[in-house]
Amino acid sequence: MQQIRRAWQLYALFAIPLLIIILFRYLPMYGAQIAFRDYRVAKGILASPWVGGKHFLKFFRSNAFGRVVGNTFGISLYALIASIPFPIILALCVNSTRRKGFRKTLQMVTYAPYFISTVVMAGIILQLLAPRTGLITQAIVGITGETNLNIMADSSVFKSVYVWSEVWQKTGFNSIIYIAILSSVDPSLHEAAVVDGASLLQRIRHIDFPALIPTAVILLILNCGQILNIGFEKVLLLQNSLNLQSSEIISTYVYKIGLASSALNFSYPSAIGLFSSAVGLVMIALVNWVASRLGEESLW
Amino acid sequence: MVTTLSRKDRLFTAFNAFVGICILVLVAYPLIFILSASFSNPSEVAAGHVRLWPVKPSLMGYRAVFEHQNVMKGFMNSGIYLVLGTLCSVTATLFAAYPLSRKDFPGRKFFTFLFTFTMIFSGGIIPTYLVVRSFGLVDTRAAMILPTMVGVWNVIVARTYFSTTIPGDLLDASRIDGASDFLFFFKIVLPLSGPIVAVLGLFYAVEYWNSFFNALLYLNEPDLFPLQLVLRNILLSSEIQQNELIMNVEEIAMRQGLHDLLKYALIVVSSVPVLAIYPFVQKHFVKGVMVGSLKG
């Protein structure tokens, strides 16, 4: 108690950020109980009737369930897997480049797309893939001779468009951490390997590459926890009525029925959102448990 | 370590350089293309004649951007959100991070958990919207700042910085001299925190400039729209409304081209503020990513 009183100045500093977190993070968690009620704005949260799992069941039984959950997992897993190797390759490439100037240029240029906003990124994608005039559309038409190619209207390639533009934008940024790890690898390991007659490639395979694995695992765990809440903004921006079949994900669906529609229905979309958050929590716990059982790095 | 390369190693070095150049071209080409397209003639853009360099250079796209009322208003609004938001966020983040870095802060473990838990679980979009609305923040500038003011990840970055760079002896010494926690934080810790303030400032500034989510959810009033929301309305509108009966083919192509040109110029203009400062802060930026990835 005395300790707490002595630290009052620390608490004073801490009060503002704590208040923000409580008001805008924990209060919504409390408010998420409207997922179990028939929420009426006029009545308020506690006076709205309790209906248990009604909204959850409605979602599980709806036509949208399979499609929306499937798309969410599909896009996330695709992105997760596609985004693992490239930052590692880039980092190894940068680390093995001896010319300092080229090394700097390579880093500078590959980091740059990270700073492009999601809206602009979506704009770039739509411009490059525009029917007739888009750069990529023209290139594909030039090769295959296909006429009337409209890539964004083709729901079968939506996931690829999303994922590979993501790889283009984030690879440089994601390589930063790997590059830093490589530069901190004990040089005596390399010296010893050179004495033993190891080639450059062998040194990369047996010294540099293994040094990156623990971090790659941690990042994988972290990303698995985020698996259900990725990409709301970008998916929403790239969506159109023609690719909706494969582009509607949980968060965009929640947004549409909850906030973008005129019917004031908050309980049903809240239930879907809560379901998604809960699955995310289970996922991160599961992956972390598996990783720690395997003797690899763990988060806690 | 200068060694003469064996034949195998020379081969590998060449291969490595080739991979590097491929990556460089893949990343840089779309950026160069957009820049070139934005400086080209509208009908050449519409015809898809731009490949690498501007064709029949013109500044028509940029003129269209700067004559666009909403775009200019968006720039102003985004500027306001960036300056105010970054100030509030950096301050709040430092205030959260410093106590959490102190081993003698009662409740340190609990508060750390309270903060990090929000990274893996959230109440969802709808309940958050209802909270923001119940505070009367919808259609106010505060809605662009308050809900996302404290980035938990940044708090962890700053906390790690404090606990690794501020020596414990320093605290003990100033305590003996009778310094309070306030005095120690403001007179000793903050002056030593230049690098972390730069990193946080950069992270938050980029976030505020690029932020779109808060505006989409909480703003309906066009006068408050940040640049990103204005951009969405222009960049994602597919075709211009055209009365094809009146216009001839050439005019339609010109109109379509101008619309595309406006988009390319907008992409460039809106990204320039961030991309222009980035080379100067790259070192801090890389450092920030590294500090954040330290475990513990």
Side-chain angles (χ1 to χ4, degrees), chain A residues 84-235:
Chain A
I84 293 171
F86 296 98
I88 295 179
I89 292 171
L90 177 60
L92 291 171
C93 178
V94 166
N95 193 56
S96 314
T97 301
R98 290 179 158 213
R99 285 172 200 275
K100 224 176 161 198
F102 182 64
R103 198 179 164 136
K104 280 259 153 69
T105 315
L106 191 56
Q107 282 176 276
M108 184 85 103
V109 170
T110 51
Y111 296 171
Y114 180 78
F115 293 93
I116 295 172
S117 76
T118 314
V119 175
V120 170
M121 191 62 209
I124 291 175
I125 294 168
L126 294 182
Q127 281 308 103
L128 297 183
L129 299 182
R132 293 193 316 279
T133 55
L135 185 71
I136 295 174
T137 310
Q138 287 184 348
I140 295 174
V141 168
I143 294 166
T144 62
E146 202 178 327
T147 49
N148 287 330
L149 182 65
N150 186 353
I151 299 169
M152 288 315 294
D154 184 350
S155 70
S156 66
V157 295
F158 180 85
K159 291 185 175 72
S160 296
V161 169
Y162 176 89
V163 168
W164 294 107
S165 60
E166 199 72 4
V167 168
W168 180 79
Q169 196 181 6
K170 305 277 168 71
T171 293
F173 179 80
N174 291 337
S175 74
I176 291 178
I177 181 164
Y178 293 119
I179 291 172
I181 291 168
L182 288 177
S183 67
S184 66
V185 167
D186 186 357
S188 64
L189 285 175
H190 280 288
E191 282 157 23
V194 169
V195 171
D196 290 343
S199 71
L200 269 174
L201 190 60
Q202 281 172 321
R203 274 156 54 201
I204 288 177
R205 233 191 97 194
H206 297 288
I207 299 174
D208 288 337
F209 186 65
L212 300 179
I213 296 303
T215 306
V217 172
I218 288 210
L219 291 178
L220 188 66
I221 295 172
L222 282 174
N223 292 339
C224 280
Q226 294 300 316
I227 203 154
L228 288 186
N229 35 13
I230 81 168
F232 166 77
E233 296 184 10
K234 194 167 147 195
V235 171

Side-chain angles (χ1 to χ4, degrees), chain B residues 77-231:
Chain B
N77 283 330
S78 282
I80 295 172
Y81 300 138
L82 184 149
V83 173
L84 286 181
T86 306
L87 270 173
C88 294
S89 287
V90 171
T91 310
T93 303
L94 293 173
F95 283 5
Y98 178 66
L100 290 179
S101 77
R102 282 271 297 264
K103 293 221 164 59
D104 59 341
F105 179 52
R108 178 177 184 245
K109 280 226 169 102
F110 170 73
F111 288 123
T112 306
F113 174 78
L114 204 66
F115 272 56
T116 46
F117 182 69
T118 64
M119 289 171 80
I120 55 174
F121 187 80
S122 85
I125 302 178
I126 307 287
T128 309
Y129 171 80
L130 292 175
V131 165
V132 171
R133 199 180 65 167
S134 70
F135 292 148
L137 291 175
V138 169
D139 273 330
T140 64
R141 291 196 193 276
M144 289 297 292
I145 296 170
L146 287 179
T148 44
M149 191 166 105
V150 179
V152 173
W153 179 252
N154 291 329
V155 171
I156 296 172
V157 170
R159 186 201 62 174
T160 311
Y161 177 87
F162 287 139
S163 55
T164 51
T165 55
I166 309 289
D169 299 345
L170 210 55
L171 180 65
D172 296 339
S174 53
R175 271 219 180 117
I176 293 168
D177 292 341
S180 65
D181 285 326
F182 277 160
L183 199 70
F184 184 71
F185 177 69
F186 288 108
K187 293 284 174 193
I188 295 174
V189 174
L190 279 190
L192 289 172
S193 307
I196 193 65
V197 172
V199 168
L200 293 176
L202 174 70
F203 280 175
Y204 279 120
V206 171
E207 204 179 296
Y208 278 109
W209 186 259
N210 288 345
S211 136
F212 159 69
F213 190 73
N214 283 351
L216 180 73
L217 295 188
Y218 309 132
L219 299 184
N220 307 306
E221 171 61 49
D223 279 343
L224 298 177
F225 282 180
L227 183 63
Q228 300 299 329
L229 209 56
V230 178
L231 285 179

Side-chain angles (χ1 to χ4, degrees), chain B residues 230-261:
Chain B
V230 178
L231 285 179
R232 182 191 72 150
N233 297 341
I234 300 174
L235 290 178
L236 270 57
S237 68
S238 54
E239 310 279 313
I240 37 168
Q241 287 110 20
Q242 40 191 233
N243 197 339
E244 297 189 22
L245 286 174
I246 310 174
M247 281 189 283
N248 57 32
V249 183
E250 258 169 56
E251 229 173 306
I252 291 171
M254 188 77 180
R255 274 277 196 112
Q256 181 61 45
L258 201 59
H259 193 60
D260 281 332
L261 203 60

